Amino acid sequence: MACGGHLGWTSPALPHLTGPDSEFPVTKAEGAWVASLYTLGGILASFISGFCVDRLGRKFSLLAFALPQLAGWGLVIAAKSVVTLYIARFVAGIGHGGIYNVAVIYLGEIADKNIRGALGTFLKMSTNLGTLFVTAVGAYLPYWQLNLVSMVVPLTFVATFVFMPETPYFFLIKGRDEEAEQSLMKLRRVNKPESVREDITAMKDAVIEGQRSSRNAIFELVGTKGNRRALVILLGLKATQQFSGHMAIVAYTQEIFSHSGSSLAPSQAVIVLGGAQLVAGFVAAGLVDRAGRRPLMLVSGIAAALALAIEGLFFYLKYEAEVDVSSFTWLPIVALIAYEVMVALGIGTLPYVLLGELFPTNVKGPAVACGIIVGSIFAFAVGLGYQAINSVAGIHTTFWIFAICCASGTIFVFWLTPETKGKTLEEIQAELNPPAKVVPGA
């Protein structure tokens, strides 16, 4: 939620900052940097989190990365110039990248295989909830109060998460088997150690197998066939997710809605959009462990691409063909809501589920860090390039580019991704790394 708050903050904040009531002037170009620098902070966090996650542990790394998020809000509140906003967004982005890096590992390691997919979707759903919270507050409160209220979310996280357990996998990596047992008992809500010993043994075998290689984790990531396949899937997921324009659409939602000419105020349309995202998130949580990852990914990606193409068509008719669109100003709002719903059902949610599932414990840290780094670079390029492409080729072209990227990326990833529904992390690794066939007489 804290991450979603920072992501969605630009939607109500940029119209104020670039408007006449701002305490200091912010141009459109500067606004694009304010929106995009948040994703660059995530790149730095990915290097830091790889170090933290196996030293501090998953739990305390999450608590540590909440501090830059709090610092970001403090700087936003104190900002008297656009440079301070740049710093605030970059610092908050460090927290975002770190939290996502560690959270996908944490969730993947604490969840039972039957609910792991549903729990993974909550990562995106809670991000959407944070975005909805900030945009709703921004619709009815002035800018300075928006910033103060937004700070409550990361504060609440720090106050509550300190009581959560560390993952059993981390304790096993450190050779603290008894604490791993206690952690799993707490997570499973059981009192007898023998009820979790079979699972602890399977987890320990997976950890030992992962640690058996003497190679550096980075070399292990690219040197093993199954890990390479998982890495290609991961990078394809991040490319599809970001080049579908999600970062730009979240950052400029109110501005995009203002182009429609609808009688529904952009600030209110954003709240409707956020509500639809939440509903879709709950649907995704219910479907991901029933329908599976692959079907959801294909349906959501193709449907999202269609919604983006319709969005682009509306803006083409309005600005290029100069057609009277007053009778269907509702279309871009409906299309954008449909896009966000479809993203929440699959391509925006499942990458975080699969991030925690596809990699063995010994390379999970660098693998997730690699995904966040690449995703952050893509998101930065999309966020900064959105305004530039609009100026050069028109907003309709921007949406058509997003649609093409979304459709082609979805098909590519669907073709490569194995179904992980109902499988333990150990079973997934066995599928990605099948034993070599023995040739008779060799």
Side-chain angles (χ1 to χ4, degrees):
M1 279 188 68
C3 293
H6 275 291
L7 271 176
W9 173 81
T10 51
S11 182
L14 284 181
H16 167 83
L17 291 167
T18 56
D21 297 329
S22 177
E23 288 184 41
F24 49 90
V26 176
T27 65
K28 288 269 186 183
E30 289 170 338
W33 279 98
V34 169
S36 303
L37 278 169
Y38 183 71
T39 59
L40 276 191
I43 297 174
L44 177 59
S46 296
F47 292 106
I48 301 170
S49 64
F51 174 84
C52 292
V53 74
D54 287 328
R55 288 165 178 80
L56 294 179
R58 282 66 161 145
K59 171 184 173 178
F60 287 105
S61 294
L62 283 167
L63 289 167
F65 281 113
L67 301 180
Q69 293 253 300
L70 286 166
W73 285 123
L75 287 166
V76 166
I77 291 166
K80 301 297 180 185
S81 69
V82 72
V83 174
T84 308
L85 283 182
Y86 289 163
I87 297 169
R89 295 289 288 167
F90 183 80
V91 168
I94 294 173
H96 180 103
I99 286 168
Y100 266 82
N101 259 322
V102 183
V104 293
I105 297 174
Y106 184 85
L107 290 178
E109 291 183 354
I110 68 168
D112 183 87
K113 65 179 182 179
N114 296 319
I115 62 159
R116 192 176 59 240
L119 194 60
T121 64
F122 273 69
L123 200 63
K124 177 61 178 172
M125 188 162 63
S126 58
T127 305
N128 291 341
L129 182 59
T131 301
L132 174 60
F133 175 73
V134 166
T135 51
V137 169
Y140 298 104
L141 292 182
Y143 173 77
W144 67 274
Q145 289 183 2
L146 161 67
N147 299 333
L148 283 173
V149 171
S150 298
M151 203 172 187
V152 172
V153 180
L155 282 172
T156 304
F157 167 72
V158 172
T160 56
F161 194 73
V162 71
F163 300 105
M164 296 298 108
E166 181 56 86
T167 77
Y169 278 93
F170 173 72
F171 287 130
L172 290 170
I173 289 168
K174 295 299 181 182
R176 294 151 63 180
D177 294 14
E178 190 175 329
E179 288 172 270
E181 242 179 42
Q182 292 297 319
S183 171
L184 192 57
M185 285 166 61
K186 186 173 182 179
L187 289 164
R188 297 276 174 85
R189 309 284 288 180
V190 295
N191 298 318
K192 296 179 179 179
E194 54 268 23
S195 63
V196 299
R197 282 201 179 130
E198 186 178 338
D199 289 325
I200 287 291
T201 301
M203 290 177 183
K204 191 171 182 178
D205 289 344
V207 169
I208 291 170
E209 182 63 32
Q211 292 175 331
R212 190 165 289 161
S213 173
S214 60
R215 288 189 292 186
N216 177 277
I218 299 294
F219 290 113
E220 184 70 16
L221 179 61
V222 297
T224 303
K225 183 179 179 181
N227 291 342
R228 284 199 304 272
R229 180 184 172 189
L231 188 60
V232 170
I233 293 167
L234 169 60
L235 298 183
L237 285 165
K238 299 307 290 185
T240 305
Q241 187 183 52
Q242 296 303 336
F243 287 124
S244 71
H246 192 251
M247 170 63 193
I249 290 168
V250 169
Y252 296 101
T253 306
Q254 284 200 28
E255 182 182 310
I256 294 167
F257 281 152
S258 69
H259 284 288
S260 69
S262 171
S263 58
L264 183 65
S267 60
Q268 295 172 333
V270 170
I271 296 172
V272 174
L273 175 64
Q277 284 178 313
L278 277 185
V279 172
F282 280 110
V283 173
L287 288 177
V288 69
D289 286 314
R290 291 182 174 86
R293 282 63 156 159
R294 283 165 51 83
L296 276 181
M297 202 181 306
L298 185 65
V299 170
S300 77
I302 298 302
L306 180 61
L308 289 168
I310 292 170
E311 190 84 13
L313 178 63
F314 174 88
F315 291 130
Y316 174 81
L317 293 174
K318 181 175 181 178
Y319 294 118
E320 295 297 315
E322 297 183 352
V323 173
D324 180 13
V325 295
S326 58
S327 60
F328 50 97
T329 55
W330 51 268
L331 183 61
I333 294 176
V334 171
L336 211 57
I337 289 173
Y339 163 79
E340 288 290 359
V341 166
M342 288 298 110
V343 165
L345 277 175
I347 60 170
T349 302
L350 294 181
Y352 304 110
V353 176
L354 291 167
L355 264 173
E357 294 181 332
L358 292 177
F359 297 96
T361 54
N362 64 316
V363 300
K364 195 171 284 186
V368 174
C370 181
I372 299 295
I373 289 169
V374 171
S376 297
I377 292 171
F378 291 164
F380 175 75
V382 169
L384 200 60
Y386 170 80
Q387 293 285 16
I389 297 173
N390 286 357
S391 301
V392 173
I395 190 172
H396 62 283
T397 304
T398 307
F399 275 95
W400 285 341
I401 291 171
F402 290 161
I404 292 168
C405 292
C406 185
S408 55
T410 300
I411 294 168
F412 171 75
V413 172
F414 176 83
W415 180 58
L416 281 178
T417 306
E419 183 55 76
T420 58
K421 179 186 73 169
K423 297 175 183 175
T424 64
L425 298 181
E426 293 73 34
E427 288 169 344
I428 295 167
Q429 285 309 304
E431 185 173 341
L432 286 170
N433 296 280
K437 293 181 179 178
V438 178
V439 180

